[in-house]
C-alpha cells in the first residue's frame, strides 16, 4: 500500500483547521481559492477537531467537515484525515477523570494542553473508538481521502493505577516468575527484591529509580502500550476500508518511543521537521536534518511523507527566525532528495489566538496571497509538479548505521562512566557525516533489522546486545562484511545485566581485542592519538589479541597502547575505535574503507566537495536521480558528466548556486 | 485629600515594630529619644502586629499600641497606621484552613511566611474586618494618625475552590455567553472549547496554560480581586473617619498587579525602594530608580510617599552592601526630586531574630546613635526640614511613555517571536533614558490615561490595543502631537486575538507603513542601520506607504529597506522604529525631536551633561525647583543662571560634588 | 575498646555482598581464594541484605550468611557485620506505610532507593530491632566478628506526623514554655507567634521557613533523632556481647548531621572517601581529602577506619576516571598517615546489575585476578603488613581549628550579608592548608571540645556562640594561647538571636577591636590590603580599641582602617582577620606565628616544600613515624636526618618519587 498510489505526483499541502474559521465563510472560500493558487493538492484535516465534531457527549456534528471535504474534492484537493485523539474535549475529562494522565510523582494532571491522555484507560479508548467510527463511516470511502493520520505526535507516559496494572500484566508476560524478575532486574543489591508481581510499580523520582532493568522495561512498555492504543484506533478505520493507508506523525530525535516498533503497524512513515535554520551554521543543520530524513526513510525502506514543516518560522523555539529567501525551496527539496514524497506544512492558515498564533503558515493574519511566504510556497508547488517522475522512487544504500532506541535508553540510564553525557547521538552523527559528506546514501538499522543488503555496518556504542546481535555481526563479517564498532560496546544483555567475562562480549575473537579499562574525561580534556586526531569524553585501554593496531594513544599511562584496530575475520574486516575521536578521523577512515571496497561515489569529486554541498540519489530501478544541494552562501562548481546526466531541475549544469538544488537524471 | 496636609513638611521616619521589644521597656524609651534626635516626624506602626493585638481569637490587646501612639504623639511624631492583614496569626490558619493559599499546582500551602492569604475567603475577609474595626475604633480619630497603610506589599495569587468560583463569576460578568468565551479565548485550536462557565479553571502548569486569553483574564482577575479585598479593608476604616487618607505600599517593577487600577481607590501612592547601589554602575541604577519614582508619581499625578527604603543595606538580595558615605543623602533626595514628599525606612530598629534580622535599619543591634547610619539619617532629617517649602509641589511633564501592564502581560505570555526575551521593560527604559538624560521630566501612562497635557507620546511595543487606543493615538497626532511607536505594535486586541489585516492595525495610514516580516535574533547577533546605530533581538521588515525613511537596514536579505520612518499626519508626526536599536539611537532621536518642538531644557547644557548628572524639576505653580544630582565620583560643573536661580540646597553654585545634590529655586 | 584489638595489623578488605551471587557457587569459592591472594583480612557483610535474610515477614534465612562467615573465618578473614536498616524489604513498606519518609512538602515517598526510612516510626524501629536480634544471636559471639557496622551512611529527614510529634516533644524538652519558644525563635516579627506547642510544624518551603531558630532546632532534632534511632540499634547488639565495638560510616563534608554528637555513642569512627582524583589538581584534592581524614580522627582523638573507598573509579560522580597507576597506593597510605587503621573498599566484587554496577571494585565483571586493580590492591595489602607496627598509633597536634556544625547551619541559613555564598568551608580550609603545608598535624574542634592540649586555636567565622565559648576563648588566651578569629564572628547566641551590644560580642576587650560595618562584595570584586594580599566576598570595617594594626585596607571609603589586628591579652595573643583574605596571607601569617611560638616543624625545610609534598606524623608514645607523600608528578628531594630517622617504607631516603610515600621511624 502506498500513500501516493492515487495521486502520482508529490504531495504538497498541509494541516488545515477550518473549524477555527466556521464563523468566517469568506475565509473558507478564500482558502479554497488560495490552495489551488499555491499549487497544493492535499490538506490534513481534523487533527484537533474533536470538540467541533462532538461538542457534547454523543452529539455529533460532521456537517461542516463533510462540506469542506466535498468542496476540497471538487477543487481536486486530497485529504489526509486525522483522528482527533490527540486532544480531547473538556466534557470528556470532566466526566471521566481516568482519561487524564498521572505523572511520575503520581499527581493527576488537570485538563489542558494536548497529548495527555492515559493510553490505557478503557473509557478513553471507547470514546476514541466511537468518534473514529463516526469519522470512518463518513470518510473511509470518500474519494478525497488518501490516508488516515492517526492522532498526533504520540508521546509521553502515564502512571495511573490503570497503567500500573497494565504494566504488571506486561511484566508477567515477559517473565516466567517473580524470581526471574528479581534476577533480571538485579533487585538484591539494595534489598529491593519483589515477593510478587503485584508489588511492582513504575519508576518514580520519589520511589524506585535505581533498577535499570525496571526502567528499561517501563520504556518498552510505554512504546508497546502506545502502539496498542494506536492499533485500536487503526482497527476501527480499517474495518470500513482497508485500502486507505495509515500513518502517524513522528518527531525529530524523539527519545520516548522506539519508532522502529511502529514499522509493521503503519502503512507509511511521516514526520514533522522544524530545523532552526540560520542558527549558527546552516551546513551543520542541513546535515542533521538529512540524518533524520534518512532515519524516517530507513524504518520502512520506502518513501516517507514530510507531514509538517514551517514555510517560514516556528513560534515555540527560543527564537523565531523566518527562513531566508531560498531556504524554503532548498529545505523542502532536501526532504525529496532523501526519500520524501511530500512537502507539507503546519499550518495552512495562521490561528487568530491561543498558543500557536505566531507559528508560521502559508496564509498569515493579513490574509494576503502577496506575501513572500505565499509566493515561495506557490513556486515550490510548481517545481514539484515539474519533477513528479521522481515520486515513488527509492533511496538505496550499501551502509547501515545502528541507531537502537533500547540500547540508547539503557546506556543513557546507566550510572557511569560519564553521567555528564555519553554522547550517543553525536557518536552516531559522526559516522553518518563521514559517509554522507561523500554523497553516499546511509540507512539506519536497529538490532532487529535485516542486514543482508549492506556492505558496511557501523555499530556506535553497542553497549547492549539483544536479539542475538553478536552472532549476526560475526556472521556478517565472516561473510565478507565490514563492521566498525566503537568503545563502550558489548557490555550488557537485554536486561542491562553486565556480561561476566571478557568484553566486548563474545566479539573478542572477531575484533581481536580485549577491553581492559574505560576512562572518562572531563569536558575540557582533549588528548590525541598517533595519527594526529584528537579525542574527548571517553577512551578505552584495549589489548590486541590478534588485531592489527592502526593508531596508538599519545599520552598518559596507557600511551603507546592501541586506540584503533582492525582484525581480519572470515572474509571481512572488523574495525574497533577505542576513543571518542573527532569528526575528521571518521571522515578519513570511511573514505579509505570506501576506496578499498571500490564503492562508487555518486559523482566524481564528491569526496572533495566543500562543506555545504550535500549529495543524494533516488532510483526507481530504471531511472536514477542525482540531487546536489548547496547549503552555503557561495556558488560551487561540480563536475557532472554531461554525456550520462541530464539536468532536470536547477540552473547551470556544472554550478550550484547558493541555496540551490540541481537534480540530474542518469 | 493629601497625606501631608496636617504636617506641612517632608515626612521622615519609618516602619517601627515595638511589639518586638515589649519586654525591653528601656529600648522603647530609647526609641522615642532617638526618633527625635534623628529628626524623624513619623513612624509606620502595626504592619505585622496581628498576633500581638489578637493573640487568641477575639481576645484583643491594644493597650501597648495605644500607649506607644500616645507617647509618640507627645513627642510630635505622627503615625501611619497599618492594617495587619499582610500576615495572620497561626490560630487563624489552624482553625480556618480556607485562608491559606492554594498554589497553581493546586497544593494548599502550610502556615508560614507572609502575604499568603486567600483574598477571596469570606472568613479571612471577616477576620480582617474585625481587627480593622478594632484599629479604627481606637485610632481613626487619634490626632497622631495621619494615614492608613493597608496591608503590606499586596501580591501573589490563590487557586483555591473559592477563588475558582470567584473567577468564574468574574468571567461571567465580562462575557455574555460561553460561546463568546470560546471565541475570545480561541479555545477551538486544541479542542479546548468550554460547554459551560462551570468548566472554567484557572491556568496551571499541570493543566490549561496555552489559552492566552484565559491567562490574561486570570491576571486581570487577580488585580481586581486584590483591589476588591483592599477596598473591603478601606471601607471599614473610612466608616470611622473618612478624612484619614489611605495607601498601600507598591513594589519595584512589580509585574503581578496592574498598579494603574489602584489609582481611584487610594488617596495617595507609596512604594518601597531597594536599589542595589554600588553594583556595577551607580549611574545606571540611579536612572532605573528614578524611572520607578516617576511611575509612582504618574499614577495619581501627585506627590507620592517613599514608604520603605534602607538607610544602609538589605539582607534579602544576593549581596548586602551598605550605602557608601553620601549615597543615603543622594538617593533620598532623588526621591524628593522626582515627587516624593517623604523619606521613610524599613525599619527603624533592627530585629534580633528571624529572617530580616540583618536588614539595614536606623538603630542597629549595638543600640548606638553614634553609628554612621544614624548620623546620616539625622543629617537627612535636618536637611529635609531646610527645604520643606518644596513639599506638596508637583512634577510636570510634556512627555508620556506607555507602560501598560496588560500589554506587558500579553506580549510576554505569547509564544514567539522571542521566547528567550522580548525585553519590554528595557525598551521602555531606553525611551525614558533618552528624555531623562536631557533633564526632562517624564510621565508614564497606560491605555486608560488622559493624554491631553502631553506634546510627545512614546508607545514602545504597543502589541495590544485596548480601550480604543488606536483611535486616541490617531487623534493625538492629528491634533499636532508627536508619537513614537516601535516594532511589535498593533498586533492583537484586548483578548490577545490577532487582528486580521495589515499591521500595525488601523495605524498604517497614520504611520505610513506596513509591517511585512518579523525577525528574531539570537542573543549574540548584532546588526546595524544606515545611520550607524546597532540593533539586536528583533527587527521588522516594513514597507513604507507614505512615510519618509529616516534610516535603512545594512545587511541580510532586507538590506536597504526602511528601519526607521516618520510620517506627517494631520498636524503631528508619527515616528516608527522597526528594530530594537541601541540607547544612543534614542538619545539622538529624542534630542532632535525636542529641538524641533522647541521644548525648553530645564537648564542650559543639560543635553551635554556627563553621565551621572541627573536633573529634575518640581513646581507649585508659583515657585519652581531645579534639582541637579551627581551620581558619579567626580565633581561636575554646571552653568546655572545666577540671575534667575537661587541655590537653596547644596554646596557651590556651579559645581556638583560627587554624590552631591544642588537645589535651585527659580 | 579498639577495633583492631583482636587483629594487631591494619585492616584491609571491603564491602562484600555474597547475597548477589548465591546462585553462582563458583563465584563464592573464587572470592575466598582471591581475598587471601589480595592480602585481605576483613570484609563488611550484610549492608543491604535484609531482603535476603527475611524475604517474607518473620521468615528468616541466615544459613547462607552463617556459612559464608564460617568459611571466611576458616581463611583467617574477619568480618565487620552490618545491620540492614539502610534499606528495607518491599513487603515492609507495603504493609506499614508509616516507615516511608514524608518530604518537606509533605509528600509521602514511594518505596525505592535506600536510606529513606522514617527514623521515628515505632514500627520501623521494631522491625529493625527484630532483625538485629537475629543477627546478634548468631554473630555477636562469633570469633570472626570484630565490629558492628550500624546501618549505612545515615542521612536525610522525615516530616511525617510521627516526626512532627517527636519534634514537638523535643521542643518541649528544650524550652520551658511556649512563650520562651516565641522569644527564642523571634516569632513576633511576622505575627508567627505560637499559642501552644501543638501548633509547631517542621520547616517547609511551602510553609514556615523564615524562623531561623526553628530551622536550627529542626536540624538539631534531626541529628538527635538519628542518633536515637542508632542507639536503639546498638542497644540490641550490645546486649548480646558488649565487647564488640560499633561504628557507622560517615561521609565527606556531610552537612545534615552533626558528627561530633555521635562521638560518645560510637566505639570508633569510620568514613567513606571518594575524592575525584585527577580532576584538575591532585595536590588540591589531596589537601582536601586529608582535611576530612583529620576531621574524622579528631572526633574521638583516636585511630579511625577508612570504611569505603574505590580501588579505581566511582560511577555516581559526573565523570568516572580510574585512579592512575600509583594513586591507589598513595591515597590509601594518606589515610594511614592521617590516623586510619584500615583501608577498605566498596565493593569487593562488582554487581552485575542495578545502579552501582559500574562502580569500581577489586574483582570486576571479567572475574579476573590479573587486572591492574587487583594487582595494586594485592600489593597494598602486602605493604600494609610491612608497616603494621604503626597500627594503633596516634596523631598529635598543637593546633585546633573550629568546624562547628551548628555554627555552620546558622550562618548559612541566615539571610545576609552574602546570600550568594558565605564560604564557611573555604574559610576553614584556608587555615587548615596554612598549617598543613608546613607538615603540622591539625585537629578539628567544635564548641563542646576540650582545648587544653592546644597552643593555637583558629575560629573561622565564629558567627554563633554556644556552650559559653566566648569565656573559654578568653581563658585560653589569658593562659597563653594564641587564637586567630575572623570576620563574621560573635554575632548571635545559640538560638540565632543577635547579641545586643558591641561585636564580636564579649570578646571586644580580648581582641581589642569593635566591628563597625560589614560589607558584602559581588563575586568578581577583588580588593587588597596594605601588606599586598587580596580579599574577596566579605570585609569588615573595624575600630581598634587597644589592638595593634597589622595591615590596613587599601581602597574605598574605609581605606586606611585596620584589616588585620593583634591584641595581647593575658599571656596570649588574639589575632583578628577582618576580611576574606587569600590563601597566601594565611600561609605567611601562620608561619610567623609558628616561628614565634617555636613550634617545631616535623622535618627541616617543610616550610619550603613544593606544593604536592604532604607531611604527617603518628606516634605511639615510644616510636614516632614521619610520612612524606608526593602528590605531584615530579620527584622531590627532602632532607631527612639519617642519624635519627630510619626509612621503613618507600624508595630513596632523601627523594620522594612521583606518587610516592616514604615512612620514617624516629
Amino acid at each position: 500500500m502506498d500513500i501516493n498510489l492515487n495521486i502520482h505526483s508529490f504531495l504538497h499541502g498541509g494541516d488545515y483547521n477550518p473549524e477555527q474559521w466556521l464563523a468566517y465563510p469568506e475565509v473558507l472560500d478564500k482558502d479554497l481559492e488560495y490552495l489551488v493558487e499555491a499549487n497544493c493538492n492535499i490538506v490534513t484535516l481534523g487533527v484537533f477537531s474533536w470538540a467541533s465534531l462532538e461538542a457534547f457527549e454523543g452529539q455529533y456534528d460532521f456537517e461542516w467537515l463533510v462540506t469542506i471535504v466535498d468542496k476540497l474534492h471538487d477543487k481536486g484537493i486530497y485529504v489526509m484525515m486525522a483522528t482527533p485523539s490527540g486532544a480531547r474535549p473538556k466534557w470528556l475529562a470532566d466526566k471521566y477523570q481516568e482519561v487524564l494522565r498521572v505523572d511520575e510523582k503520581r499527581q493527576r494532571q488537570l485538563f489542558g494542553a494536548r497529548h495527555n491522555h492515559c493510553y490505557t484507560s478503557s473509557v478513553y479508548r471507547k470514546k476514541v473508538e466511537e468518534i473514529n467510527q463516526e469519522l470512518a463511516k463518513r470518510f473511509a470511502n470518500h474519494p478525497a481521502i488518501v490516508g488516515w493520520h492517526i492522532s498526533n505526535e504520540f508521546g509521553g507516559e502515564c502512571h495511573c493505577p490503570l497503567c500500573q496494572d497494565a504494566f504488571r500484566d506486561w511484566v508477567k508476560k515477559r517473565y516466567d516468575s517473580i524470581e526471574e524478575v528479581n534476577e533480571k532486574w538485579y533487585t538484591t543489591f539494595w534489598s529491593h527484591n519483589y515477593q510478587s508481581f503485584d508489588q511492582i510499580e513504575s519508576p518514580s523520582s520519589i520511589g524506585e529509580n535505581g533498577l535499570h532493568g525496571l526502567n528499561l522495561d517501563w520504556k518498552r512498555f510505554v512504546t508497546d502500550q502506545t502502539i496498542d492504543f494506536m492499533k485500536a484506533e487503526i482497527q476501527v478505520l480499517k474495518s470500513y476500508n482497508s485500502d486507505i493507508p495509515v500513518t502517524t506523525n513522528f518527531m525529530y530525535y524523539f527519545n520516548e518511543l522506539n519508532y522502529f516498533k511502529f514499522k509493521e503497524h503503519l502503512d507509511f512513515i511521516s514526520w514533522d521537521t522544524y530545523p532552526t535554520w540560520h542558527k549558527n551554521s546552516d551546513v551543520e543543520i542541513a546535515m542533521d536534518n538529512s540524518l533524520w530524513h534518512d532515519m524516517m526513510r530507513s524504518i520502512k525502506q520506502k518513501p516517507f511523507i514530510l507531514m509538517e514543516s514551517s514555510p517560514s518560522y516556528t513560534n515555540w523555539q527560543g527564537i523565531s527566525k523566518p527562513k531566508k529567501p531560498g531556504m524554503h525551496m532548498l529545505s523542502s527539496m532536501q526532504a525529496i532528495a532523501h526519500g520524501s514524497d511530500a512537502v507539507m506544512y503546519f499550518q495552512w492558515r495562521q490561528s487568530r489566538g491561543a498558543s500557536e498564533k505566531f507559528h508560521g503558515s502559508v496564509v498569515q493574519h493579513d490574509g494576503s496571497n502577496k506575501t513572500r511566504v505565499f509566493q515561495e510556497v506557490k513556486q515550490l508547488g510548481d517545481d514539484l509538479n515539474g519533477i513528479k517522475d521522481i515520486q515513488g522512487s527509492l533511496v538505496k544504500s550499501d551502509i547501515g548505521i545502528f541507531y537502537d532506541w533500547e540500547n540508547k535508553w539503557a546506556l543513557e540510564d546507566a550510572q557511569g562512566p560519564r553521567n555528564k553525557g555519553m554522547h550517543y547521538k553525536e557518536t552516531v552523527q559522526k559516522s553518518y557525516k563521514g559517509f554522507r559528506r561523500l554523497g553516499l546514501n546511509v540507512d539506519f538499522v536497529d538490532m532487529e533489522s535485516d542486514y543482508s543488503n549492506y556492505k558496511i555496518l557501523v555499530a556506535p556504542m553497542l553497549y547492549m546486545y539483544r536479539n542475538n546481535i553478536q552472532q549476526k555481526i560475526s556472521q556478517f563479517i565472516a561473510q565478507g562484511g565490514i563492521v566498525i564498532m566503537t568503545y563502550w560496546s558489548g557490555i550488557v544483555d537485554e536486561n542491562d545485566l553486565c556480561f561476566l567475562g571478557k568484553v566486548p562480549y563474545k566479539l573478542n575473537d572477531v575484533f581481536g581485542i580485549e577491553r581492559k579499562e574505560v576512562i572518562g574525561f572531563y569536558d575540557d580534556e582533549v588528548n590525541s592519538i598517533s595519527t594526529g586526531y584528537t579525542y574527548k569524553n571517553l577512551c578505552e585501554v584495549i589489548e590486541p589479541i590478534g588485531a592489527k593496531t592502526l593508531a596508538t594513544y599519545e599520552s598518559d599511562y596507557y600511551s603507546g597502547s592501541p586506540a584503533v584496530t582492525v582484525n581480519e575475520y572470515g572474509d571481512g574486516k572488523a574495525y574497533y575505535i577505542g576513543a571518542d575521536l573527532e569528526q575528521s578521523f571518521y571522515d578519513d577512515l570511511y573514505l579509505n574503507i570506501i576506496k578499498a571496497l571500490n564503492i562508487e561515489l555518486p559523482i566524481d569529486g564528491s569526496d572533495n566537495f566543500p562543506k555545504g554541498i550535500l549529495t543524494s540519489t533516488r532510483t526507481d530501478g530504471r531511472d536514477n536521480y542525482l540531487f546536489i544541494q548547496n547549503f552555503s552562501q557561495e556558488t560551487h562548481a561540480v563536475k557532472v558528466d554531461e554525456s550520462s546526466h541530464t539536468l532536470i531541475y536547477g540552473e547551470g549544469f556544472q554550478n550550484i548556486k547558493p541555496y540551490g538544488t540541481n537534480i540530474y537524471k542518469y
Side-chain angles (χ1 to χ4, degrees), chain A:
Chain A
M1 203 174 316
D2 182 342
I3 174 63
N4 289 15
L5 265 187
N6 304 320
I7 303 183
H8 299 300
S9 68
F10 287 110
L11 299 177
H12 185 227
D15 271 36
Y16 180 39
N17 299 97
E19 65 272 29
Q20 296 175 25
W21 303 97
L22 295 179
Y24 306 70
E26 71 286 3
V27 166
L28 297 178
D29 290 347
K30 212 69 186 166
D31 283 334
L32 285 175
E33 184 191 322
Y34 279 179
L35 279 163
V36 173
E37 183 182 340
N39 296 306
C40 288
N41 56 14
I42 193 161
V43 296
T44 303
L45 284 171
V47 175
F48 295 119
S49 308
W50 198 337
S52 298
L53 297 171
E54 190 182 4
F56 297 89
E57 189 169 10
Q59 299 181 24
Y60 300 110
D61 174 11
F62 279 79
E63 206 183 308
W64 63 271
L65 187 57
V66 170
T67 304
I68 282 163
V69 172
D70 288 344
K71 285 188 181 174
L72 288 163
H73 186 56
D74 286 350
K75 296 280 184 184
I77 295 164
Y78 292 94
V79 171
M80 189 85 71
M81 184 62 77
T83 65
S85 60
R88 83 195 76 71
K90 192 158 197 321
W91 57 257
L92 209 164
D94 287 355
K95 185 165 173 190
Y96 310 103
Q97 286 269 312
E98 72 168 58
V99 307
L100 294 166
R101 277 191 192 158
V102 169
D103 71 13
E104 58 89 25
K105 286 192 172 171
R106 309 307 191 244
Q107 183 172 19
R108 179 82 64 182
Q109 305 297 286
L110 305 175
F111 178 80
R114 47 181 186 146
H115 313 139
N116 50 12
H117 55 273
C118 169
Y119 36 53
T120 301
S121 159
S122 57
V123 168
Y124 195 61
R125 289 181 175 220
K126 182 161 168 295
K127 288 291 161 190
V128 169
E129 185 189 337
E130 287 167 6
I131 188 82
N132 284 356
Q133 208 144 19
E134 298 296 324
L135 270 173
K137 235 187 268 178
R138 286 165 182 87
F139 300 112
N141 294 291
H142 192 291
I145 308 299
V146 293
W148 291 111
H149 176 295
I150 309 299
S151 202
N152 184 63
E153 295 182 347
F154 279 116
E157 57 187 46
C158 175
H159 296 257
C160 77
L162 300 172
C163 287
Q164 300 291 348
D165 281 343
F167 179 51
R168 283 177 201 121
D169 287 344
W170 186 97
V171 174
K172 262 183 234 173
K173 266 182 217 134
R174 188 175 175 90
Y175 301 103
D176 289 338
S177 64
I178 197 66
E179 288 71 28
E180 193 192 350
V181 173
N182 283 324
E183 183 199 328
K184 298 300 190 190
W185 292 355
Y186 213 76
T187 57
T188 305
F189 181 45
W190 283 345
S191 258
H192 287 196
N193 313 54
Y194 298 95
Q195 286 79 44
S196 79
F197 283 102
D198 298 343
Q199 292 175 313
I200 293 172
E201 296 171 279
S202 62
S204 171
S205 63
I206 60 162
E208 186 63 86
N209 52 41
L211 295 177
H212 300 306
L214 163 64
N215 296 347
L216 187 60
D217 276 344
W218 171 254
K219 288 195 180 76
R220 287 170 173 145
F221 163 77
V222 170
T223 286
D224 286 356
Q225 194 74 346
T226 302
I227 289 173
D228 191 64
F229 179 90
M230 183 185 75
K231 281 168 64 183
E233 286 213 53
I234 292 171
Q235 195 177 12
V236 179
L237 304 172
K238 291 274 184 180
S239 73
Y240 282 81
N241 179 352
S242 65
D243 287 343
I244 305 291
V246 301
T247 193
T248 189
N249 47 345
F250 286 164
M251 290 177 282
Y252 172 74
Y253 282 107
F254 192 67
N255 192 53
E256 295 172 22
L257 296 172
N258 182 353
Y259 280 161
F260 276 110
K261 292 279 185 191
F262 286 70
K263 172 164 55 175
E264 60 184 300
H265 310 291
L266 298 175
D267 294 312
F268 63 99
I269 299 297
S270 65
W271 81 290
D272 305 341
T273 179
Y274 294 105
T276 53
W277 297 114
H278 319 309
K279 179 180 183 180
N280 305 326
S281 159
D282 279 340
V283 175
E284 287 300 314
I285 291 167
M287 194 56 109
D288 189 45
N289 196 39
S290 81
L291 187 157
W292 209 250
H293 281 314
D294 282 332
M295 169 65 81
M296 292 296 105
R297 173 183 49 71
S298 297
I299 292 174
K300 283 187 82 82
Q301 295 286 350
K302 288 205 318 185
F304 64 96
I305 294 299
L306 183 67
M307 186 63 89
E308 289 185 18
S309 66
S310 171
S312 48
Y313 43 82
T314 70
N315 78 319
W316 47 266
Q317 290 161 335
I319 301 296
S320 297
K321 207 181 251 306
K323 285 173 169 173
K324 295 187 182 183
M327 179 49 86
H328 180 57
M329 195 68 72
L330 180 66
S331 60
S332 299
M333 283 297 177
Q334 189 185 28
I336 305 296
H338 288 261
S340 180
D341 273 6
V343 175
M344 295 175 67
Y345 310 114
F346 176 84
Q347 59 179 334
W348 166 255
R349 183 182 280 272
Q350 217 162 13
S351 306
R352 281 200 71 183
S355 62
E356 302 211 49
K357 64 180 175 294
F358 294 126
H359 193 287
S361 60
V362 182
V363 183
Q364 297 169 301
H365 294 129
D366 64 4
S368 167
N369 59 350
K370 302 286 183 291
T371 59
R372 177 163 72 87
V373 170
F374 190 94
Q375 292 302 318
E376 288 176 353
V377 164
K378 180 178 168 180
Q379 181 65 47
L380 175 66
D382 198 41
D383 289 4
L384 288 174
N385 278 334
I387 58 166
K388 69 177 165 188
D389 286 351
I390 300 173
Q391 182 267 323
S393 62
L394 303 177
V395 176
K396 296 284 191 184
S397 173
D398 293 324
I399 303 150
I401 299 178
F402 281 89
Y403 184 96
D404 190 284
W405 263 267
E406 297 193 9
N407 179 46
K408 183 169 186 286
W409 290 337
L411 82 84
E412 290 178 349
D413 189 39
Q415 286 196 43
R418 276 194 108 256
N419 298 328
K420 286 202 171 173
M422 292 297 289
H423 305 301
Y424 178 75
K425 177 180 153 183
E426 290 73 12
T427 306
V428 169
Q429 286 173 328
K430 282 181 189 171
S431 281
Y432 176 79
K433 288 191 218 171
F435 291 115
R436 255 297 171 208
R437 70 167 199 106
L438 302 173
L440 294 169
N441 294 335
V442 174
D443 279 2
F444 288 96
V445 296
D446 79 349
M447 293 191 230
E448 301 176 34
S449 304
D450 172 17
Y451 316 116
S452 54
N453 287 323
Y454 301 114
K455 294 179 181 159
I456 299 173
L457 280 179
V458 182
M461 303 175 85
L462 201 73
Y463 166 72
M464 169 187 282
Y465 289 167
R466 60 190 188 86
N467 211 32
N468 209 14
I469 193 67
Q470 67 278 31
Q471 199 178 332
K472 289 196 225 159
I473 286 177
S474 300
Q475 277 173 3
F476 180 85
I477 300 173
Q479 290 163 9
I482 306 292
V483 170
I484 300 99
M485 192 162 79
T486 78
Y487 51 92
W488 206 240
S489 290
I491 295 170
V492 301
D493 68 15
E494 65 175 1
N495 292 297
D496 203 39
L497 287 181
C498 292
F499 293 122
L500 299 181
K502 294 179 188 173
V503 281
Y505 192 64
K506 295 235 170 141
L507 288 177
N508 295 94
D509 293 340
V510 178
F511 283 81
I513 56 133
E514 200 182 318
R515 179 183 304 122
K516 290 302 181 186
E517 301 192 20
V518 177
I519 303 170
F521 292 91
Y522 292 95
D523 285 350
D524 54 357
E525 290 182 281
V526 184
N527 289 331
S528 60
I529 61 173
S530 58
T531 44
Y533 305 103
T534 60
Y535 65 94
K536 299 187 65 178
N537 301 317
L538 270 180
C539 88
E540 294 177 352
V541 180
I542 53 182
E543 189 178 295
I545 51 168
K548 183 180 148 199
T549 296
L550 297 178
T552 56
Y553 292 113
E554 289 281 272
S555 51
D556 220 329
Y557 65 90
Y558 51 93
S559 179
S561 74
V564 183
T565 61
V566 64
N567 196 42
E568 312 255 342
Y569 180 81
D571 296 337
K573 288 185 181 179
Y575 289 84
Y576 191 79
I577 301 174
D580 188 356
L581 281 150
E582 64 184 320
Q583 183 63 49
S584 63
F585 165 81
Y586 284 92
D587 292 350
D588 296 343
L589 176 68
Y590 290 163
L591 182 59
N592 288 338
I593 290 174
I594 291 299
K595 281 183 180 165
L597 284 182
N598 285 318
I599 290 179
E600 214 177 336
L601 297 181
I603 167 176
D604 201 42
S606 69
D607 52 326
N608 281 315
F609 276 177
K611 282 193 87 170
I613 299 294
L614 296 186
T615 308
S616 189
T617 59
R618 292 183 70 159
T619 182
D620 60 14
R622 197 191 49 183
D623 293 318
N624 304 307
Y625 301 95
L626 169 66
F627 293 73
I628 310 184
Q629 298 198 285
N630 184 355
F631 286 87
S632 80
Q633 303 278 16
E634 296 90 39
T635 297
H636 286 298
V638 293
K639 263 167 80 178
V640 185
D641 184 350
E642 302 203 31
S643 65
S644 58
H645 288 64
T646 316
L647 184 69
I648 62 166
Y649 182 76
E651 301 165 21
F653 201 97
Q654 306 281 20
N655 282 300
I656 321 287
K657 65 169 186 175
Y659 285 1
T661 298
N662 281 10
I663 311 178
Y664 307 87
K665 186 165 159 179
Y666 64 102

